[in-house]
Amino acid sequence: VPRWGAVLLVVGLPLAVGCASWLNAAYPAVRHYDLTIKTTDAIPPAYKNTPLTLGVLADMHLGRIVTAPRLVRAMDMLAPYKPDAVLYLGDMLDDHILLDVEAVAAALTRVQPRLGHWAVLGNHEYISGPIKNSLDILQRSGMQVLRDQWHVLDDVLVLAGRDDRSKPAFTGSPRKSLPEILADLPPEYKKLPLAVLDHQPYFLDEARTAGAVLEISGHTHYGQLWPFHWVVENMYENPHGLLSKKGMYSLVSAGTGAWGPPMRNTARPEVLVVKIHFVEAAE
């Protein structure tokens, strides 16, 4: 009996952990964040008592293993919150093989944000194939890609979408700095709060120096599988969740999909609902 008990422990425990990790990866959780942001500009009447609601997805890794039905599940979880805009934080693609672009586009239509679907690139958009192909897939799916570019959301928030830090390794050219990205921002928008979308949360101090009040990132997966969460905790100032420091929020998603084996046991996959409440600040 002790011998059979040992066999069951050696075989059964990893099997149970593996099954639980697979189920955990398949069913995202909705995470809610309420952030208060000060602005020196006049708050538009629509936002004086109503927050700007952002839906956030990251790190789906769509391809041969994580397929469009996983994205449908995530979008259906987000839809009831009626976000004003949906943000995609990179690594939405894992490879271009067997990727059903029409099914991905159909999944996006399950949420109809009045301010659009906005994406930035991650390292896997480069790894998965020619970057022009990744851009084409994202755009055909209905995402507007900010590649070292800015966009003003409803005259209330500036989005600065950064190209991924891996760009130089794949293209031989550097990504733009935040001051370079914002150099042509019209004067009437310079007082608006700045939110930076950057796939990898390496450069929080750079965002703070540029005046950002919020940076939203993904990439870390919070390790995805034990014990790698200890690794990312030592690599990043904010490996997961919300950090408020020196006047800036850093928000890092654990990701909505999975990379490699579709298994997770360090954190649930996430769909974020971020409500930004604007308050007027003195000059």
Side-chain angles (χ1 to χ4, degrees):
V1 175
R3 183 180 299 173
W4 279 108
V7 171
L8 288 173
L9 183 64
V10 169
V11 175
L13 183 59
L15 183 62
V17 170
C19 290
S21 300
W22 181 84
L23 286 169
N24 183 54
Y27 295 96
V30 178
R31 305 285 187 210
H32 297 265
Y33 292 93
D34 280 86
L35 309 180
T36 298
I37 287 178
K38 295 179 180 179
T39 176
T40 57
D41 205 8
I43 301 171
Y47 296 106
K48 284 191 177 290
N49 298 300
T50 303
L52 175 72
T53 301
L54 305 174
V56 180
L57 279 73
D59 301 277
M60 279 298 308
H61 290 279
L62 294 165
R64 286 169 288 183
I65 297 175
V66 177
T67 55
R70 292 278 185 103
L71 180 58
V72 169
R73 184 178 297 155
M75 299 305 283
D76 283 349
M77 295 177 71
L78 181 59
Y81 299 97
K82 297 180 176 165
D84 297 303
V86 181
L87 311 179
Y88 304 87
L89 302 179
D91 282 10
M92 294 303 293
L93 307 179
D94 196 64
D95 59 61
H96 300 162
I97 301 169
L98 302 179
L99 182 65
D100 189 338
V101 181
E102 289 72 22
V104 173
L108 261 64
T109 64
R110 302 173 85 90
V111 178
Q112 301 282 343
R114 63 188 182 86
L115 302 178
H117 298 265
W118 297 90
V120 293
L121 300 175
N123 53 307
H124 277 264
E125 270 74 43
Y126 285 98
I127 294 169
S128 62
I131 192 60
K132 63 181 181 63
N133 292 356
S134 292
L135 283 165
D136 179 63
I137 290 168
L138 295 176
Q139 291 163 350
R140 284 166 54 202
S141 299
M143 301 178 196
Q144 300 177 78
V145 181
L146 294 173
R147 192 180 185 194
D148 283 344
Q149 295 166 299
W150 57 265
H151 174 75
V152 178
L153 276 181
D154 217 17
D155 290 338
V156 74
L157 183 70
V158 177
L159 295 181
R162 305 203 68 180
D163 208 326
D164 188 64
R165 72 186 291 263
S166 66
K167 177 189 176 183
F170 289 92
T171 67
S173 60
R175 68 177 187 170
K176 291 182 180 179
S177 68
L178 278 170
E180 288 173 327
I181 293 171
L182 299 168
D184 62 345
L185 186 68
E188 62 266 30
Y189 297 135
K190 290 188 182 295
K191 287 187 177 181
L192 293 181
L194 171 64
V196 175
L197 309 181
D198 196 352
H199 173 65
Q200 303 188 44
Y202 272 106
F203 302 99
L204 302 191
D205 284 335
E206 186 178 348
R208 291 186 189 109
T209 301
V213 295
L214 172 64
E215 180 175 292
I216 315 179
S217 303
H219 183 67
T220 72
H221 294 222
Y222 195 50
Q224 186 168 317
L225 293 172
W226 183 90
F228 295 108
H229 63 298
W230 290 332
V231 176
V232 299
E233 283 177 353
N234 285 291
M235 287 180 65
Y236 302 99
E237 183 179 4
N238 180 17
H240 177 220
L242 183 65
L243 171 70
S244 179
K245 183 178 177 183
K246 297 180 181 178
M248 189 184 86
Y249 293 110
S250 163
L251 182 56
V252 178
S253 169
T256 315
W259 175 73
M263 303 165 70
R264 303 182 67 121
N265 57 29
T266 58
R268 289 281 298 277
E270 299 177 335
V271 174
L272 306 187
V273 176
V274 182
K275 293 186 177 181
I276 299 178
H277 304 264
F278 297 96
V279 296
E280 292 184 3
E283 288 284 352

